[in-house]
Amino acid sequence: MNKNIFLGLSITVVTAFGIYLTGYSSSGTNHVNQMEENISHIDESGIDFEVTVSQNNKAAYVTSQCYTKTMDNNGNIHNPCFSCHINSKGPNYINDWELQLNNEFGEYTRINRFKNLFKDRTEEVAAISDKEILEYVREDNYKDVNGQLKLAQKLKNLPSVWDANENGKWDGYIPDCYFNFDHEGFDKDKSGKYTGWRAFAYYPVLGTFWPTNGSTDDVLIRLPKVFRENEAGVFDLQTYKVNLAIVESLIKEKNIKLESAVDENVYRVDLDQNGKLGLADKIVFRWIPPRYNSGTGKIENFSMSYVGKAKSLLATNESLIAPGLYPRYTEFLHSVRYIDIDENNVSIKMAERMKELRYGVKVNWNTYPQLSNAATAEIKEKDAFPNRLRTIIGDTEQGLQTSLGWVYQGFIEDVQGELRPQNYEETQYCIGCHSGIGAIKDSTFVFQRKLEKNSWYHWSQKPNGLKDIAEPLTKDGRDEYQLYLSVNHAGDEFRANDEILEKFFDQNGTLKEEATAKIKEDISYLLYPSTSRALNLNKAYKVIVDEQSYIYGRDSHIKPLTNVHRSIGISQQNGTEKVKF
């Protein structure tokens, strides 16, 4: 993939579609040099792949969950907001925990334009049989019967409707992960060659991304090519493993145990920071800010270092290193999938069929001061111009910029169930969360939530999935999932998950101790839906696919949601009690 394509994203001028006549014969005879046919970039479902402004919701970066009612009809307070809006420290200077207390919506964003939230899909769901939906979710819409990547083949033989800039090629990410993992979570192509992608297990993010609320998912990471090479520039798996551990240490800002002991003399880096080179079994996180040499114009004396070829790039500053930040050109791949039923028809598992394939790449390195200035500038602009909407640069082909150095791009099911590019507005839905909240680490959600031990694997490789995984703890040592249940008094942002309400709360809305005790050792007791609920969630989402109505909300539900604002008053108080770590 050519990384340079992401460095100069531009906004395409929106044009009309149809036939344009640049000249014609007075006799009525058309001539090639007198007539130009403008290729349509609107597909059969009305999805516009050329437009670079949102058509339904110009603030689609404010997600549907943001419109939840934090006070119910009985005056009880619910706070799901802390899962995104939380106190943070640099290099994430957003620190937006106060949004738990106040709805700081502008004039435009006070109107909830996610009208799918209020749809009743009872009849449509009833028309889909269990057999039909199971057959559907068990179909692979990513690979064909020969193991070829279907979407990649389409993008390499680009349909004209997707070629928004009409240059004959796809200018964004072309899927190159085969979801063919070895015992260490490394992906390999059909020839057995490493693709660089590596899967890892993690604690699912609060609320929306719990399977019981609609989807299963996975996340993969890939470091740039030089991070997979030894000093001679040759691919070396051990070097790649060590660099992944170093990145994990920097993101989590803690010591990370290596998968196996390594000889530091090979890399000439004191990984365990014990003052000598020898066998190291861990990466020790000990950071001393480097200094800037005004004479050379370089940053020097890094207290932590990458290994292999990437180490040499630190000396030239072609690559940089800092806590809380990924190397430039780090990539993430995130597939969002349906829910399948296991062979015994008693539990759930990840489905073959993808709802979405999401991709992110870090294209620019921003320093701590740059990130701090960006956050401060956003606060000042919001104060000075509260009704001004964000300008998000990008397009269907190249993805959308976060303004913090990352580009995100997505693919989603078309009306036939095959993956297609998301257009500008559909992708904008992802940008707000990945660029403007306190819960992220360098624009990402889950690498900091990676399990500590034996976690380099794909969920499909573990028959038990999320079963027997102990509950995660917050930064200050609280049981995270129980905290969410206790302050939200529900298992999702919309308080529409009746299974969780019945399983975890008594008639007075008090948490059941025996239920919360179970998730301390097995989070699946909370996170997994019943098989009947899973099937209904699949059916509800399939209705959205049939409608191709993603811009109006892609949340799975059957009945209209009632705990959601259709519009919000000016500076409306949430009434919530803040959660801080």
Side-chain angles (χ1 to χ4, degrees), residues 283-379:
I283 304 297
V284 169
F285 177 78
R286 186 178 300 139
W287 179 258
I288 301 171
R291 71 166 187 261
Y292 177 74
N293 186 327
S294 59
T296 62
K298 304 291 184 185
I299 300 173
E300 301 174 344
N301 291 349
F302 295 100
S303 56
M304 296 181 69
S305 173
Y306 301 122
V307 298
K309 191 172 183 180
K311 174 188 172 186
S312 65
L313 299 186
L314 283 177
T316 61
N317 285 189
E318 292 175 76
S319 181
L320 291 170
I321 187 171
L325 297 177
Y326 296 98
R328 189 181 185 189
Y329 299 135
T330 296
E331 300 167 277
F332 280 94
L333 200 60
H334 176 205
S335 78
V336 183
R337 302 180 186 232
Y338 289 86
I339 310 170
D340 198 358
I341 308 301
D342 70 8
E343 292 73 13
N344 299 317
N345 199 36
V346 295
S347 188
I348 64 107
K349 63 180 182 178
M350 176 176 287
E352 282 286 345
R353 177 172 290 278
M354 294 183 185
K355 294 179 175 181
E356 300 179 47
L357 183 66
R358 301 173 177 178
Y359 171 78
V361 58
K362 182 172 180 174
V363 299
N364 287 314
W365 176 275
N366 288 312
T367 65
Y368 284 15
Q370 287 172 322
L371 292 168
S372 177
N373 289 341
T376 301
E378 185 171 334
I379 292 171

Side-chain angles (χ1 to χ4, degrees), residues 33 43 243 398 400 450:
N33 63 344
D43 73 4
N243 277 327
Q398 299 179 100
L400 272 60
K450 177 178 170 293

Side-chain angles (χ1 to χ4, degrees), residues 202-204 211 459 464-469 522-524 527-528:
Y202 52 90
Y203 299 106
W459 295 121
N464 284 341
L466 291 167
K467 293 179 179 178
D468 302 321
I469 294 176
D522 182 3
I523 59 176
S524 72
L527 271 54
Y528 278 11

Side-chain angles (χ1 to χ4, degrees), residues 47-106:
I47 307 302
D48 189 334
F49 295 101
E50 184 180 29
V51 68
T52 54
V53 293
S54 293
Q55 296 167 303
N56 167 63
N57 185 358
K58 293 178 172 54
Y61 52 84
V62 179
T63 67
S64 56
Q65 289 80 11
C66 293
Y67 292 95
T68 188
K69 295 178 181 178
T70 55
M71 180 181 293
D72 63 28
N73 294 333
N74 296 319
N76 299 314
I77 301 301
H78 305 263
N79 181 8
C81 310
F82 81 92
S83 60
C84 291
H85 305 294
I86 194 69
N87 54 303
S88 60
K89 67 172 187 175
N92 181 349
Y93 297 95
I94 296 168
N95 195 32
D96 61 346
W97 64 269
E98 290 182 343
L99 289 181
Q100 297 175 37
L101 310 178
N102 299 292
N103 285 323
E104 296 183 359
F105 288 87

